[in-house]
Amino acid sequence: MLLLAVAFIVAFVLLLYMVSPLISPKPLKLPGAHVVVTGGSSGIGKCIAIECYKQGAFITLIARDENKLLQTKKEIEKYCVNDKQVVLCISVDVSKDYEQVENVLKQAQEKLGPVDMLVNCAGTSVTGKFEDIEVNSFERLMAVNYLGSVYPSRAVIATMKERRMGRIVFVSSQAGQLGLFGYTAYSPTKFALRGLAEALQMEVKPYNVYVTVAYPPDTDTPGFAEESKTKPLETKLISETSSVCQAEQVARVIVKDAVQGNFNSSVGSDGYMLSILTSGMSPVTSITEGLQQVVCMGIFRIVGLFYLGSFDSIVRRCMMQREKSESADKTE
């Protein structure tokens, strides 16, 4: 069995070596590139825009709140590396009207040139038990988190294919890799981005266009702070099993992976493990990445089972405490 396993790994490495020229993309050069960031007025989106601007890119920020956009524009401009750089602000809801999204992106390209990298970062969250969440919240989250990424991507993909270059980034979440208590409305919308990204990558790879799916963990952003106000106790306790990352750190990782053309982008050891565990049939962009997935999958599955067991234990304890409290209230 051992010899068979070794032979399999060797054959796998040789296969990847043979096709590696077809796998590894050339890095995108950010100096002078046009980067569009949706949801760019705050949080991870703003930090991604700053990171790209620091590297010499021209930035188009897209968000709904015009005042926030103008404030963010001033903040980003502090990091300019040359006097030719421009930050363009567009106030639009990317989840409502495709034609409007298409028109504003055409305007942005007329001013700053074709889009070299699109970062879909617009998103929102609702937490709560499945039966307590309003039905229209499921519809709203799917519109913002999923269609809000479909529309901008659809508006720029044809030009990217014509130019034989481009990057599209979908900012998902670790909740888009693992369904957790309290995220029945949120997780499906982030899982959907993975399916879109895999299918789209297969379509556009021959045109030298590469797709990246980012899976940030809990990140210190205004959105995370707002979400924490309504989290069920179970969700809070599960979230506390891992640390909260800084938006600047997450942005640096996402930009680096997008520039390199990596399909998966994760942060930290937990993120790395989840990316291995959920790799499935997702594309790889290096021999090392494919080999790591093959070698680590088994051991990470064992670790993952311990995590799942601890999460189930948290949910059971909370349920028992709640029932005990309700029983005590009835007897008073």
Side-chain angles (χ1 to χ4, degrees):
M1 288 294 293
L2 179 61
L3 289 175
L4 183 62
V6 171
F8 173 79
I9 292 173
V10 170
F12 179 78
V13 172
L14 288 173
L15 176 63
L16 284 178
Y17 178 77
M18 290 170 61
V19 301
S20 60
L22 303 177
I23 294 175
S24 301
K26 292 181 179 179
L28 177 70
K29 296 179 180 179
L30 280 180
H34 181 191
V35 178
V36 175
V37 184
T38 71
S41 62
S42 65
I44 294 174
K46 181 177 78 171
C47 291
I48 287 174
I50 290 174
E51 183 65 25
C52 292
Y53 200 67
K54 285 180 178 179
Q55 298 186 40
F58 290 68
I59 305 295
T60 295
L61 293 177
I62 297 179
R64 291 175 299 175
D65 192 318
E66 189 170 358
N67 290 330
K68 281 187 179 180
L69 279 171
L70 294 175
Q71 292 172 4
T72 301
K73 172 184 168 71
K74 293 178 181 178
E75 186 175 344
I76 293 173
E77 288 175 336
K78 296 176 183 177
Y79 299 94
C80 74
V81 294
N82 64 70
D83 56 7
K84 294 181 180 179
Q85 283 179 276
V86 176
V87 179
L88 177 65
C89 294
I90 299 176
S91 175
V92 67
D93 187 335
V94 293
S95 67
K96 284 192 175 180
D97 185 340
Y98 171 70
E99 290 186 358
Q100 187 178 19
V101 173
E102 185 179 36
N103 287 335
V104 297
L105 280 169
K106 282 182 180 178
Q107 294 170 20
Q109 293 184 91
E110 288 172 0
K111 294 179 180 179
L112 301 183
V115 176
D116 296 292
M117 183 161 80
L118 167 67
V119 183
N120 292 290
C121 204
T124 188
S125 176
V126 171
T127 57
K129 288 189 289 186
F130 182 64
E131 66 271 23
D132 294 336
I133 299 175
E134 296 291 337
V135 171
N136 61 7
S137 293
F138 291 88
E139 299 172 352
R140 180 169 62 88
L141 262 64
M142 187 59 75
V144 175
N145 296 349
Y146 179 67
L147 294 179
S149 292
V150 170
Y151 293 167
S153 302
R154 177 68 173 74
V156 303
I157 196 66
T159 303
M160 285 186 175
K161 289 171 69 175
E162 288 172 4
R163 298 174 64 224
R164 297 295 198 272
M165 64 173 293
R167 298 286 190 273
I168 293 180
V169 181
F170 298 106
V171 179
S172 179
S173 165
Q174 286 188 352
Q177 297 172 294
L178 169 66
L180 295 172
F181 189 106
Y183 285 125
T184 51
Y186 179 69
S187 278
T189 66
K190 294 299 187 177
F191 269 84
L193 291 176
R194 162 73 176 268
L196 170 63
E198 288 191 359
L200 182 60
Q201 178 64 100
M202 192 174 290
E203 286 189 21
V204 301
K205 187 176 179 180
Y207 298 90
N208 195 39
V209 177
Y210 287 87
V211 176
T212 297
V213 189
Y215 301 105
D218 285 343
T219 305
D220 186 11
T221 65
F224 177 72
E226 190 65 27
E227 173 192 304
S228 297
K229 294 178 182 178
T230 58
K231 276 183 179 178
L233 176 60
E234 293 89 338
T235 311
K236 289 182 179 179
L237 294 174
I238 290 172
S239 297
E240 288 171 0
T241 60
S242 60
S243 58
V244 177
C245 289
Q246 295 302 306
E248 294 82 3
Q249 176 194 3
V250 172
R252 284 193 295 270
V253 173
I254 292 174
V255 171
K256 179 182 177 183
D257 285 326
V259 165
Q260 294 296 325
N262 296 332
F263 183 77
N264 287 301
S265 179
S266 60
V267 179
S269 56
D270 287 350
Y272 175 73
M273 183 180 73
L274 273 174
S275 289
I276 296 290
L277 282 173
T278 59
S279 56
M281 289 292 288
S282 64
V284 295
T285 48
S286 72
I287 295 174
T288 302
E289 182 185 7
L291 187 58
Q292 286 173 343
Q293 291 171 358
V294 172
V295 172
C296 297
M297 181 73 75
I299 187 67
F300 282 177
R301 178 56 175 165
I302 295 172
V303 176
L305 290 173
F306 279 103
Y307 271 98
L308 288 172
S310 68
F311 296 161
D312 286 340
S313 178
I314 288 171
V315 173
R316 283 195 299 270
R317 287 201 309 271
C318 289
M319 182 191 71
M320 293 173 64
Q321 290 174 3
R322 191 174 291 110
E323 289 179 345
K324 186 177 179 180
S325 177
E326 290 173 355
S327 178
D329 290 341
K330 289 179 181 179
T331 57
E332 290 180 356

